[in-house]
Structures are given as C-alpha cells and as structure tokens.
C-alpha cells in the first residue's frame, strides 16, 4: 500500500551533501498505479481484518461507535429543544474515523481536532455527562461551559480541543509534536481535520515543518467530500489528498473511513512509525457525513441529492462492523442490543446531568482570561469591575 | 418604499451593482451554489453565472489577495468573508497590500475592492466566532470602513462601497440579516460614505454608536424617555471616513455623551471618538464622556455569560444616568 | 551596573532565561545560524544547540501556531517575528488561539508563549516595513503587551514576559538595538509587567508615551526646559496590563497632558489613554488632552517625507505649548 | 522534460463523474527518473539553443543582462554613498532568470515580483532614470519616490511591482490572472518569487486556485538556494520545488537559471500554454545570488563559503551567454565592449538624473493614500491638517 511504497528523503544524508541543488536526489512520489485505491485496502479475510486484536478491544470499538452515535442523537434532540445553542456539528456517519484512529493510540498520546469533535472528545476520555454539560453551557462541562460544542478540552485526557478556525488546529498540533520531540518523549500527536482544511496555507506550512524536522505527527484528513456545501472536487485541483504528501516527501496512506478496522490498521502503522522516530504521516480517511454540516443545514438538497445520501448510508460504519463481528461470532445480535440499551441510557443520563448542572455564574466572566491576573496595572478596560 | 430585510437589501445592492457594472463580481466561501452561508447572495449564481459569483476553497488569504490583485487591474471585486472572524488569516493582503498599493505605487494602482461579511456576536458561537473587528480595520490608513445598522443603510452603503475607488470594508450584522425596514427602490439610491445619521432626536444626552448597537441605543433611549430623559441617538454608519461634524454637533447640543460599541474597549472605536470629542469640544462637555463596550474578555459560550458580556440597553441607561449625575 | 546595548540586554535576557528553564526555547527566521536578522540572538545557537535555537522556514502562521501549541503542553516558547510587520500572517494564531485557549478550555490550558520582534519605522523601509503595531495587539483580551524603550527595560521586561504564564508580546525598536544604557547584572533582575516609570520628573505638563518614543519625549522636554517649561515624561513600558495609577498620578500633578505614540491615531494607544483620563480625571484637566502620532498615512520611502511623517520632538513641543495655552 | 511528461487532471471530465472519491483518477506525478534534471535540460547544439531567434533578439538579451548588471553596480555605488536608503536587494548573478523569462512575454502581458526587483522593472520597460530616481527617493521615480527599491511600479508597462512581504505577491498575481480569464483576454500573468516563499501558505493557496480554475498564471520560482541565511534544504523537507506542482496537478518544469536561453525556452512553453487556455505552470529556475541578501549582508561568511560563491561565479550568466554569442558569431568581443560602454553610460546618466530630481514635497504625504479623498467626513486622524 502507499504508506510502505512511499519513501522519504533522509534529511541527514541530504544535508551532508554540500554540492547544492544538482546533487539533491528527488524523493519518490506516490505510485502511479491507477488501482492505487483498491491496492490501498488490501483484500483480507474476515479473520485477517481483525489483526488478532482481543475480543474485548473489538467489542469496545463497537461500543464506542454506538455510544458516539447515540450521544449525538441525544444531542440533536436537546438542540431541537433549545437546550443547546450556537453552532453544533454532528459526526454521524464518520464515527469509524476518530474511533478507529484513537484506538491506535496509547493513553499518553495527544489528540486535537476541529469543531466536529464530540466523538473525538468522548473517545479521548471525556465523560459523556461532562461533554453534554458543555453542550448545555453548564459549569460541569469539560470546558466549564465556556467552550461549547466547538471547544471541548480535557487536559487530564490529553484532549487538546476543539478548534473553530478551519485549519487552525494544524499548527497547534505541530507545536505539540515539537514538544514531544523537544522532551524526547515517545508520545504521538494525532491531529484531525476536514478535507476542506487541506487547501488552507496552515496545512502546507505545518506539513513542511513536520517532515523537515521529522516530528511525531499523524495528520488524519477526514474526507467526507464536502466543506459545508462545497464538494471537494470544486475546491481542489487534485482529488487525491494523500498525494499532496509527496510535496513534502512525507509518507501517505488512504484509509476506508467507513471501516473501523481499516482505519485502525492504517493509523496504527503511522502511529508506530511516528513513535519510533520515523516522522509524520498523512492519512486520508474516505468517509461521509450522514447529517447536515451543522444543525441549520438540511441533510440533502442544495449540494447533494437524497439518493446520494441514501446510497452512502448503506456504508454505515456501525452496520458494517456489526455484521463483521456477528459473522466472526464476537458480538451477537442480542449482545449488540444490550450494548445499545446501555449507551442510550448513558446518553440519557448525560442529558439529565447536564440539565441539572448550574450555569456558570457571572464572576466566571473574568476568570480564565489571564492565568496571571495578580499583576500590577489594569488588565480589563470595560470599566465594569 | 418597500419593506424588506437587511439580507434582501444587501442582495439587491449586489444584484444592482452587478447589473450596472460588468466588472463587479462576488467571490467567497459558499456564495454560489449554497447561496451564501447567510443567504445574502441568494439567487445571484443563477442570475450572473459562475464567473461572477464564485465559490472559493477555504483560503481566506488567497482569495482576498486575488480580490486585491484583480482590483489593481480594473475589476471591482466584492470579497465575502463568511464572517470577519476568519479574516485574521487574510489581513496581510488587506493591510499590507490593499491599504498600501496606491501609496507605494505613487498613485498608479487604485484598489477598488470591497470586503464584506458579518461582524460581532450572534448567539452562543463562543470566542472564535463572536468578534466585532471593525476597530482593527479602521486603524489602517488606506482602508475605508462602513457599518450599516438598518436595511436602507445596508443597501445604500454597500452600493457606495462597491462604487468607491478605494478598498472599503463593509461590516454587517449576523443578527441584523432578518431585520425588516423601508428601503428606497431607486437604482441610484446610494448613501455617501462619511455621513452619520441622527436616528433619534433628543436634547439631554447624546448616545453615539454604529451598526447593530444602534438598536440597543434606541432601546435605551426608549427606557430613558419613560424616565423623562430625552436622548439623541447618532448612528455613525461610516467609521472611516468619519462624520466628525455630526459628532461635534450633537455634543454641542447636549453637552453629555455616552459612546457605545459592540467590540472591545482597548483601541475601540469609542476610544478614538472620546479622544476626539474631548480635544475638539472640551468646553462643551458638562460631564466626562462614558463608554459602553462588550466585556473585555473572549466571548464565552454559556448563554447567561454571553448575555452579560454583551453591551446592553441597561448598561447604556446606567452610563447615561451617570453623565446626567443622577 | 554594566553599560550595554539594548540588543545585548535582550540577548542576556534570552540566555539567562534559557539557562534557568530548559523549557524555554527561541524559534523564528534566521535566529540561529544567522544569529538573528538584527543579531539579537547572537551566539545562542552555539550555546544552546539547534533544538533550543531554531531556524524556521518563512511561515509566520505555521511557526507561531507551533509556539502556541507547544506552550499549551508546557514549553515556554519565545517566537521571534523578524519584524512585527510580518506578523499579519500569524495573527490568527495569536488572536484566535493564544488569546482564547485559556478561556475556551475553562482554564485548563495556559499559553506561556512570548512573541517578540521590532515594531515601528526604521529608516526608509517604506510602507510594508515601517508599522508600529502594538495598538492592534493590545486590542485583544487574553494578550499582554510590553514595549521596552531602554536597555534595562528591555532585559527586565523580556525576562518577565518569558516567565509570565500568559501570551506576552514584546515590541522592541529596531532603532533602539544599538542604544546603550546601564543594566543590572543580577540574574533575578525582572521588571514586573504593568509598572510605568517616570523617566523625567516635571510639574508643568505630562508627556505620556512608550517604547522608542520616550526618547522623542525626553528630547522635547529638554527643549521645553530651555523655554522654562518643566515637563514630566511617563514611560508606560507595559500597555496591557496598564499602569493606570501612574497615569492618573501624573495627571493630578500637572493637569495638562500630551500623549505620544509612534503608530497611527485611529484606535491608537493614545486614544484609549485619552478616553481613560478624561473619564477618570475629568476635573483635574485644565486643558484638553492632545495627541501626537505618526502621520495617518502608509509610510513613504522618500527620506524627507518619512521624516515629516514620523512623530517628532517639534510636534510634541507644539502640542505642549497648546495645552499650556501659550 | 517534466513539463510535457506531467499530465493534468481535466476538471470537466472529473466534475462530470458523480460517483464520489473512488471514481476520481489520480493524476500523474512527476517522473521518478533520477536523471530528471539533466533530462529537464535537453542536450542541444549551440545552434539549436538559439531556437532560431533573430540576431536582434539574441543581442537584445545580452544588452538587457548587461544593463541590469551595470545598473545595479551603479546602485551599489550610490548606496555606499548614502544616496539610497532602506533595504536594497541586488539581482547580480540572477539576471538570466527575469530577462529570459520576460523575453518570452508579449508587451500586453503582466509581471509581478518580490523586493529583488530592479531588473524586473527595467526589463518591463521602466526607464533606468525612473528606476534610479525611485531608489534615490525622488519625485521622478517610477513610484514618485514613495516605494523605493522594494516597490517599483509601472502601470503603463504592466509592471505590477515590487512587493515586500515574502509570498505576498502570489495571491495578487492570482487576481491578475483571474482578471485576464474574467475578461477573456489572451494575456499572461507571470509572477516571480524566491524559493523561500514556496513554504508560505500563500503559495499553496494560490497554486490550488490557479490550477482549479486553469488561470493563465506562470509561476517562476527563483531558486538561488538561500532565503537570507537559510539554505533551501534547511527550510524544505523536499528539495525539488518543481515536484510540488504535483500536489496541484499542475505542469512543472525546471530551468537552468544561469542560461538565459534555457530560461527563455522553458518559460516560452509555459507562456504559450497559458495563453492558449492550458492553465498555469510552475517553473523552478535554478540560479545563484553572487551578492549578499541585501546591502547589509556580506557576500559570504556565515551561511556560505567564499569557495562556494567563487565556484558559482564560474556560471556567470553573462559570461556564459557572451561566449555562446561569440562562438555563433552573433556578437563579437568588440561589439560586446561597445554595448558595455553604452549601458554603463546609461546607468551613469540615470544616477545623474536621479541626483537632480527633486524630493517629493510635503503635500505628497497625503496624496495617493485614498483615490477618492473628496468624501464627506474625516479620513485622517493625526490632527495635522
Ligand atoms: C478559516 C475559516 N473559514 C471559514 C470557516 C467557516 N466554516 C466552518 S466549517 C466549514 C467547512 C469545513 O469543511 P471541512 O474542513 O471539510 O470539515 P467538515 O465540516 O466537512 O468536517 C467552513 C467553511 C471557518 N470556521 N474558518
Ligand atoms: C512574510 C515575511 N517574512 C519575513 C520577511 C523578511 N525577509 C525578507 S527577504 C527574506 C528571504 C526570502 O528569501 P527568498 O524568498 O528565497 O528570496 P531571495 O531573497 O532569495 O530572492 C526574508 C526572510 C519578509 N519580508 N516577509
Ligand atoms: Mg469535509
Ligand atoms: Mg532565495
């Protein structure tokens, strides 16, 4: 597959040559095999697909996807009731990407993403009740109600948010990867972004530095084919995001974002490489958003047809995985339903908890603006305090 | 005059100017197929085609520079920022290019580009999506800035901005798009830049503001009226050029001033206007000029906190009472 | 105390803080092999190696964000902008990330990053390279801003900035790098943020300013002295936090104020300070507060025009005479 | 060579496919032949190298390079005497790039570049005296003395400057290319940038849009191997700039920037393609700066050795070309010296003219800030007028 076939330039070797341009070898670009994509997803037997992962882990992946799905359905419900405000971007349909990707990490690794982040936050260890309380804007929220849907954070779980500026999280993630290298830790930084963020300059500036300095950064592009109402092919002159890595002599891979095990397999390889000093990897996860861009955007209509959405829904990552686990007798239909009842209950309780949690009080307005407030001179100029 | 929304007024302004001048085109994220994130450009793609209503990749720096470059060679681009919050990525092209090209080229290259989009806080969009940034733009010579607060002003000022030969930034209000009001239909209806408007006559105190905040000011004035206080509400409409005569006139008339803006206080619009009034009308002031702005903090998500952070009619009334020493 | 240059003072501050704390590193364009475009980081690469003195590609947005991200997880990056003119490309990471992360995360992520570099005009660098941008930075809550005008302040404030747990922007002066002055050697010499300093005592009028302009103010004060006018020169040193007590104290003392800054007037530092003084010391003012800034235009290249555009001692003297009604 | 071998994606074809990602073909990336570079410069006979260009044109190219060189030597002299202030970046050693590139254009085409621009300005038709007066900061300068060394402009010659922010000119050039397409003109926009600008986000955002919309933009990267003191290999994870075009499915080429005829050949092909609706091209011109980054930067020392500079000087584009023209009996040694005397005289006179030209007067300070000053309300807030 691409990742293995794509070779990187060895900086040391390159720098040691002092003869100038004409002596610098051109690194290999991605293979030209028109079959690249099928090649990217090897033809594995059902058993092989599970990569010998423990039954528990395989079941946990199912559980996590179900929880993500039910939690967000509850979120949509609460939003409709006006319990949640502002922008709210659901992840329904894309669960396999973040959950498969994060399952490939160790507890000490870091994750950062954009605003479509509820499931990433949960997967990193944010309690459903803390996530829901954040959506409700309450003091028990994971950001004390100050961040909301787009800005969840959890320092204790190495979950670094939750960012609203398209592409803005990429340079920040680069900095975390830099810190890992700086302190010579063996952690990995995983950053998620939507495919539309690939066009932002921040993406390119960051990939170059990550590759130049061989930082432990795994960049996962969630290609759900639309940036709001703009289809990727209307926004990029080159369809293949993974190929953009060749501009940075960076290994790249494509993962089937609707198949949690393929997502895990591809990400794990990149994570292992990063952890062992092999530098960054660009992963393009091909996925699809079953819901509107945000709560105010209809599921279909202007920029995609009902038929298209219906057809894509046949690839529901949860159904696909459930069938596999059933075939492998790892999770029966009954067990699945049990699981489902459980996560529904958790989402339910999360909403009840959020409902009861108090709103942050007025003094909170001037808290967390500065870490060091106890300074000489005036910090606030609104004449209110 | 027809009663239409602020959104429709902007849409009309765009359509009319595009009809009038083939060099005018609209470019930005989601302006075409999606009809605009806030539907301001509804129907324009169908009417004018995809060379004149252009969906861009999410690359604020790139397409803003494109607009400036196209303006250098004679086009009149209207660049939409989905919101000005995202324009931080583009300001190099606005402040280092658009604002300076005419000067650096010794007058050879005009830059008749218009940048437009919503400014300020809507509802619970939290810190990164709730910033009123006109104060940052107005700081840079070479740029002109307008901030319409009503449908009529939206239409008249956007048309004026598009026709102006300098870079003009039009700050709209997300919360204003649905606001209805009377708007002249005349094709040549244009509101010249630099003309403030007294939105409410009054003799006891002057409330000077702009954009979305004029409605907060009028609300405060209504409350004060019940209390026997007759407040004048001056809508600046244009921040650069600034109608200093109108500002001084109301100060001379009431001798008491409260300044109101949606954004932050340090370096805010109200700071400059306070400095200007005390310098140019010192002896007409019977009380210090007081300012009302948003809380000097990043906007929090929580409903209650956000409400408290925003400037309100109560804040204005309180400051008015203080300048009236009551 | 040793007499060293402003450049050496900054260099010492960096070296001492890097010695003291292994989490402190310097990153930016040309800071390593080239020893810094203005040689501020001279010798640091040899001393600390290339993980702690890091040359970057020319990608202001990228490496600024890197600094913010690294700060989120405990490092204390010092990010050098070759000049703040180039930071327009990076402000999204400063204003949308650094300034807001602590708040958006409900207090979980401190951002102890320092951004530093020269501000303002040097000699004939023309419009894009001559901007004093501290006014733009100070507008955003969540950011702290200091502007040292002497070698001692440069060392003490940069050290304080690096030790501070919030994002601090240090605005240096390209024209100040060669300025010599006495600087305490003590390793723990730190000047707390938010403390202004009276650089010259006087009773007739207060000239309040910061950074490079304190020397213009002192020059004006010298001229005025010959003329029998005793001017007090207050150096703010820190713009956010701002030493309001020191400002009010000098106003109460002299009752006449001239504000001076290097940058543009609309939304300038002086505008906010004028607004603040008239609000909080109205009855102590015997004359309107006057302001001196650079000409409100993009900086031209021509020697004579540039000189005219910059704020000068003559401008200050003229305004002082006006507030003294002479 | 690469340009011809690299194929682009046909947008129309791509958009007409509606099946989503898996149906989009991956465009070809640059060839993997390690010999790519020599392949990029075909082995031509002396006669072939002149591509049948007229004797006049071939001599004019020599004349232009000589003028550029002598003009800048005069500039350095005047700078040393304090007649010129601010930053001043000389082009000595790189002349073949802009002069060869601009010779491939029609009079109605446009050019924009960065701050190392004196020769670009002259080549586009700015009078040496107007350029020198600009450097002196005088009213007869091509920007009325307001722009200086970094900001020369000439509307009548379609010379669009002269920009000081690294990478800042690229989006502007994109806008000019957009205007050409918008008005359905058959002009071409040529933009020059240093190799260090390739790392800037602006470069990537612009190339994507240029390729997406197939705009008539020719992007010429002047790879002189250093951005100030930073060697390219210390700033980019991939040495081959031309290969970065593969991330945008854009044709790319490498030109020998020390050989004016190779520069002309490669650029002409790109210009013709752009003019005929074939879209943008990325050209990497491999060149070298014989002087310091700016007047304050020593020629060698910190970041490159004396030996390196001396060795590169053996490739002086003027000497190389002079020898060729002599061998082909197009320009004799005597004629060359005649030419040299002439351009020296012109540079001399330019300096005398500049010396005599008056400084802009104070009222100029508030001219050219706004095109429409005659507006209601106040535009300037300095209280000076
Ligand atoms: C810099 C910036 N520009 C515009 C926006 C508005 N916006 C929010 S999401 C979005 C689309 C992003 O699409 P993509 O990156 O593919 O992520 P997805 O929503 O598909 O998960 C846009 C344009 C923004 N938040 N930031
Ligand atoms: C955005 C920005 N960052 C930094 C600078 C300072 N600077 C001026 S030239 C330069 C090096 C550019 O190198 P390159 O692009 O290769 O062009 P060259 O000077 O080699 O012609 C730098 C860092 C600038 N002008 N703009
Ligand atoms: Mg998407
Ligand atoms: Mg270079």
């Amino acid at each position: 597959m691409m990742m293995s076939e794509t070779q990187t330039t060895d900086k040391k070797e390159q720098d040691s040559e002092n003869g100038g341009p004409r002596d610098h070898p051109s690194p290999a670009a991605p293979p030209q095999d028109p079959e690249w994509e099928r090649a990217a997803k090897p033809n594995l037997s059902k058993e092989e697909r599970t990569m010998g992962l423990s039954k528990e882990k395989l079941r946990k992946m199912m559980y996590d996807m179900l929880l993500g799905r039910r939690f967000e359905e509850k979120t949509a419900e609460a939003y409709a009731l006006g319990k949640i405000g502002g922008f709210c971007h659901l992840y329904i349909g894309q669960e396999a990407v973040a959950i498969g990707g994060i399952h490939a990490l160790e507890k000490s690794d870091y994750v950062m993403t954009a605003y479509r982040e509820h499931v990433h936050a949960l997967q990193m260890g944010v309690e459903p009740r803390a996530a829901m309380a954040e959506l409700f804007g309450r003091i028990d929220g994971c950001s004390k109600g100050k961040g909301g849907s787009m800005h969840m954070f959890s320092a204790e779980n190495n979950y670094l948010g939750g960012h609203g500026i398209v592409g803005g999280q990429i340079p920040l993630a680069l900095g975390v990867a830099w810190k890992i290298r700086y302190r010579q830790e063996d952690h990995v930084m995983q950053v998620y972004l939507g495919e539309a963020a690939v066009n932002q300059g921040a993406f390119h500036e960051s990939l170059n530095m990550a590759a130049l300095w061989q930082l432990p950064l795994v960049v996962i592009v969630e290609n759900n084919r639309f940036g709001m109402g703009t289809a990727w092919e209307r926004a990029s002159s080159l369809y293949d995001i993974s190929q953009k890595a060749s501009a940075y002599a960076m290994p790249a891979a494509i993962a089937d974002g609707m198949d949690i095990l393929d997502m895990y397999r591809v990400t794990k390889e990149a994570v292992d490489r990063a952890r062992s000093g092999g530098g960054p990897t660009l992963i393009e996860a091909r996925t699809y958003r079953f819901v509107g861009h945000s709560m105010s955007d209809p599921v279909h209509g202007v920029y995609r047809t009902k038929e298209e959405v219906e057809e894509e829904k046949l690839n529901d990552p949860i159904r696909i995985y459930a069938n596999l686990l059933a075939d492998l007798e790892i999770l029966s239909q009954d067990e699945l339903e049990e699981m489902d009842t459980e996560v529904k209950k958790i989402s339910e309780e999360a909403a009840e908890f959020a409902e009861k949690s108090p709103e942050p009080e007025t003094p909170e307005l001037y808290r967390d603006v500065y870490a060091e407030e106890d300074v000489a001179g005036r910090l606030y100029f609104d004449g209110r305090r | 005059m027809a009663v239409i929304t602020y959104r429709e007024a902007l849409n009309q302004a765009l359509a009319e100017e595009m009809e009038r001048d083939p060099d005018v085109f609209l470019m930005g994220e989601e302006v075409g197929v999606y009809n605009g994130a806030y539907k301001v450009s509804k129907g324009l793609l169908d009417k004018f085609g995809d060379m004149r209503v252009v969906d861009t990749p999410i690359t604020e720096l790139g397409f803003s520079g494109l607009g400036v470059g196209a303006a250098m060679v004679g086009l009149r681009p209207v660049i939409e920022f989905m919101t000005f919050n995202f324009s931080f990525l583009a300001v190099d092209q606005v402040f280092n290019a658009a604002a300076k090209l005419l000067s650096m080229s010794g007058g050879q290259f005009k830059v008749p580009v218009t940048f437009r989009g919503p400014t300020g806080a809507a509802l619970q969009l939290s810190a990164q999506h709730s910033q009123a940034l006109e104060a940052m733009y107005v700081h840079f010579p070479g740029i002109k800035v307008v901030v319409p607060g009503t449908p009529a002003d939206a239409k008249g000022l956007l048309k004026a901005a598009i026709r102006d030969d300098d870079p003009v930034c039009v700050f709209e209000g997300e919360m204003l798009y649905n606001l209805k009001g009377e708007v002249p239909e005349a094709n040549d209806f244009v509101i010249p830049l630099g003309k403030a408007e007294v939105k409410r006559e009054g003799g006891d105190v002057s409330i000077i503001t702009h954009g979305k905040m004029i409605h907060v000011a009028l609300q405060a004035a209504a409350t004060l009226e019940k209390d026997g206080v007759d407040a004048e509400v001056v809508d600046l409409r244009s921040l650069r050029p600034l109608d200093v005569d109108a500002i001084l006139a109301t100060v001379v008339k009431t001798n008491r001033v409260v300044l109101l803006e949606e954004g932050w206080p340090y370096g805010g619009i109200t700071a400059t206007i306070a400095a200007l009034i005390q310098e140019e009308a010192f002896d007409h002031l019977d009380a210090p000029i007081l300012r009302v702005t948003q809380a000097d903090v990043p906007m929090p998500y929580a409903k209650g906190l956000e409400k408290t952070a925003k400037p309100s009619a109560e804040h204005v009334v309180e400051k008015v009472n203080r300048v009236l020493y009551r």
Side-chain angles (χ1 to χ4, degrees), chain A, chain B:
Chain A
M1 51 168 293
M2 294 181 73
M3 203 184 320
S4 16
E5 287 170 36
T6 313
Q7 82 205 44
T8 69
T9 314
D10 176 359
K11 289 301 297 172
K12 264 159 253 56
E13 179 203 298
Q14 189 178 81
D15 294 345
S16 68
E17 301 185 9
N18 48 17
R22 287 166 177 69
D23 306 317
H24 289 281
S26 159
Q32 291 318 305
D33 169 15
E35 297 293 301
W36 60 267
E37 188 162 4
R38 251 137 287 136
K41 189 175 177 181
N43 214 323
L44 302 171
S45 70
K46 289 182 172 135
E47 288 65 23
E48 289 169 320
R49 284 174 63 194
T50 61
M51 297 164 282
L53 292 170
S54 74
K55 208 167 162 201
E56 291 56 46
K57 182 151 179 130
L58 292 168
R59 283 156 155 276
K60 182 69 166 60
M61 288 184 174
M62 186 69 223
Y63 178 93
D64 295 339
M65 283 205 286
L66 266 183
L67 175 62
R69 178 71 56 92
R70 298 308 187 190
F71 180 90
E72 287 209 315
E73 285 167 354
K74 192 76 208 164
T75 300
E77 216 178 285
Y79 195 95
L81 296 172
K83 307 269 182 204
I84 300 172
F87 291 145
C88 183
H89 310 81
L90 301 184
Y91 199 59
I92 293 175
Q94 302 182 213
E95 294 91 345
V97 179
I99 295 173
I102 293 171
H103 264 281
L105 294 177
E106 305 291 329
K107 186 68 191 152
S108 54
D109 295 333
Y110 299 90
V111 164
M112 202 181 262
T113 184
Y115 45 81
R116 196 178 298 286
E117 61 152 351
H118 308 156
V119 173
H120 303 69
L122 294 176
Q123 196 58 33
M124 286 301 285
V126 173
E127 287 298 327
R129 48 174 50 193
M132 193 62 83
E134 189 56 38
L135 291 166
F136 278 52
R138 306 304 172 89
I139 194 71
D140 298 305
C142 53
S143 302
K144 288 168 68 179
K146 295 182 178 186
S149 168
M150 300 189 286
H151 308 299
M152 296 183 176
F153 291 84
S154 175
E156 69 185 294
N157 291 297
N158 289 349
Y159 180 59
L160 308 177
H163 301 268
I165 302 301
V166 168
Q169 73 274 29
I170 312 169
L172 295 172
L174 178 74
V176 177
W178 172 264
K179 166 264 186 180
I180 294 170
R181 167 96 186 281
Y182 187 91
R183 293 221 178 126
Q184 292 167 18
E185 298 162 339
D186 64 353
H187 309 321
V188 173
M189 174 70 216
Q190 202 178 67
V191 63
Y192 292 82
L193 52 131
E195 87 290 339
V198 165
N199 293 320
Q200 285 283 35
F203 172 84
H204 297 273
E205 296 185 4
S206 302
L207 260 64
N208 179 50
M209 284 185 269
L212 181 63
W213 296 324
Q214 291 291 293
L215 303 181
L217 182 69
V218 176
V219 180
I220 299 179
V221 177
E222 306 200 29
N223 184 357
N224 62 10
R225 296 174 37 200
F226 295 94
M228 272 179 102
T230 305
W232 175 238
E233 53 272 31
R234 291 204 300 124
S236 173
S237 62
L238 172 69
Y239 196 91
D240 301 330
I241 290 165
S242 59
Q243 184 169 321
K244 290 178 184 272
S246 68
Y248 306 100
M250 186 188 292
I254 292 171
D256 180 347
M258 307 309 262
D259 173 350
I260 191 166
L261 292 178
D262 193 53
M263 194 63 216
Y264 174 88
R265 179 181 61 79
V266 171
T267 311
K268 187 73 168 58
E269 191 173 334
V271 167
D272 292 347
R273 182 189 302 105
R275 202 183 304 285
S276 60
T281 301
L282 175 65
I283 295 173
E284 175 183 0
R286 303 261 170 121
T287 183
Y288 198 82
R289 157 164 67 68
F290 292 170
V291 292
H293 167 72
S294 68
M295 301 308 293
S296 60
D297 178 47
V299 176
H300 49 72
V302 210
Y303 58 88
R304 58 184 192 181
T305 64
K306 187 164 189 306
E307 293 62 39
E308 176 182 320
V309 178
E310 289 314 320
E311 192 198 317
E312 289 293 334
K313 278 187 169 174
L314 300 179
N315 299 326
D316 189 317
I318 294 181
R319 176 155 352 82
I320 290 175
Y321 191 52
N323 294 342
L324 179 76
L325 294 187
D327 297 352
L328 294 170
E329 288 168 357
I330 291 171
L331 189 74
S332 70
Q333 187 58 33
D334 294 355
E335 292 172 306
L336 178 64
E337 272 157 28
E338 249 171 62
M339 233 184 220
D340 194 35
T341 324
E342 182 181 346
V343 296
K344 275 181 177 156
K345 187 151 160 300
I346 291 172
S347 308
E348 198 55 56
E349 284 168 358
E352 284 157 16
F353 172 83
E355 187 69 74
K356 290 202 201 69
S357 172
E359 275 227 2
E361 284 160 16
T362 308
E364 277 297 330
L365 198 52
Y366 294 88
R367 281 190 202 129
D368 310 324
V369 177
Y370 290 98
E372 288 188 31
E373 284 214 306
D374 177 16
V375 292
R378 187 177 294 182
L379 277 174
Y380 305 100
F381 295 82
D382 51 25
R384 295 205 198 173
R385 27 198 321 263
Chain B
M1 285 201 289
V3 172
I4 59 174
T5 64
Y6 187 97
R7 173 185 288 110
E8 290 160 340
L10 291 165
N11 183 277
Q12 280 184 10
L14 289 167
E16 287 173 16
E17 292 309 299
M18 288 175 76
E19 286 286 358
R20 193 183 58 79
D21 181 349
D23 288 335
V24 176
F25 68 96
L26 174 68
M27 180 178 266
E29 293 156 9
E30 307 297 337
V31 297
V33 173
Y34 204 72
N35 283 307
Y38 299 101
K39 307 300 175 209
V40 168
S41 50
K42 192 147 191 269
L44 297 183
L45 174 62
D46 296 345
K47 197 182 263 152
F48 297 100
D50 65 5
M51 274 306 286
R52 298 190 66 193
V53 180
V54 190
D55 284 325
T56 65
I58 305 175
T59 52
E60 281 78 7
L61 182 64
F63 67 73
S64 300
L66 186 157
V68 177
M72 282 178 80
V73 288
L75 296 187
R76 306 187 81 84
V78 178
I79 301 297
E80 173 173 316
F81 289 125
M82 191 175 287
T83 82
F84 268 98
N85 296 287
F86 313 137
S87 73
F88 283 125
L89 289 162
V91 290
D92 177 66
Q93 289 294 336
V94 183
F95 300 152
N96 270 332
K100 297 175 170 56
L101 280 164
L102 184 69
S103 168
M104 295 194 301
S105 67
Q108 290 179 85
F109 291 96
K110 295 179 186 172
V111 185
V113 63
T114 300
F115 294 100
R116 49 159 293 273
T119 186
L123 294 172
Q124 288 192 268
L125 301 187
S126 60
Q128 293 182 327
H129 287 74
S130 305
Q131 305 168 86
L133 297 176
E134 49 270 33
M136 179 173 81
Y137 279 78
V138 88
H139 182 56
F140 296 88
I143 300 288
K144 292 172 176 173
V145 177
V146 298
V147 275
T150 67
D153 292 342
K155 182 172 182 180
L157 288 170
L158 178 53
K159 284 167 70 87
I162 293 171
R163 295 182 188 192
D164 194 275
D165 273 343
D166 291 307
V168 183
C169 301
V170 182
F171 287 81
E172 304 163 2
E174 186 176 334
M175 303 300 291
L176 294 175
Y177 287 131
N178 291 325
L179 179 77
K180 283 201 156 81
E182 291 206 323
V183 178
E185 269 127 309
N187 229 315
D188 58 359
F189 166 65
V190 167
I191 296 174
L193 307 186
K195 285 207 165 301
E197 183 176 74
V198 175
K199 289 285 199 280
R200 184 187 191 282
E201 300 261 355
D204 300 334
V205 61
S206 303
I207 305 172
I208 304 173
T209 187
H210 67 266
K212 193 192 306 175
M213 289 299 110
I214 65 174
H215 306 288
V216 172
L218 290 167
Q219 201 185 326
T223 314
L224 289 161
E225 187 170 28
K226 296 198 197 70
D227 209 1
V229 176
D230 187 17
E232 179 148 295
V233 175
V234 178
D235 175 5
L236 296 168
R237 299 202 297 194
S238 170
L239 298 177
R240 191 172 192 140
L242 181 71
D243 192 344
V244 176
D245 295 345
I247 293 171
L248 297 177
T250 191
V251 174
V252 169
K253 179 178 177 188
T254 70
N255 315 112
R256 299 170 192 281
V257 184
V258 170
L259 304 173
L260 166 65
E261 74 185 301
E262 183 178 7
W264 290 300
Y266 205 145
I269 306 294
T270 52
T272 297
I273 294 175
L276 185 152
I277 292 173
Q278 67 83 36
E279 176 171 346
E280 301 182 31
F282 193 66
D283 299 333
H284 293 278
L285 289 173
D286 291 346
I289 302 154
L290 298 187
R291 307 196 285 148
V292 176
T293 69
Q294 83 157 69
D296 201 6
V297 304
M299 188 62 80
Y301 166 75
K303 200 176 204 155
L305 287 183
E306 185 191 44
K307 191 164 182 309
T308 317
K310 290 176 171 177
S312 68
E314 294 66 41
H315 292 116
V316 176
V317 170
E318 182 225 323
K319 297 279 170 121
V320 165
N321 285 328
R322 275 178 52 198
V323 298
L324 289 164
Y325 296 111
R326 341 184 305 154

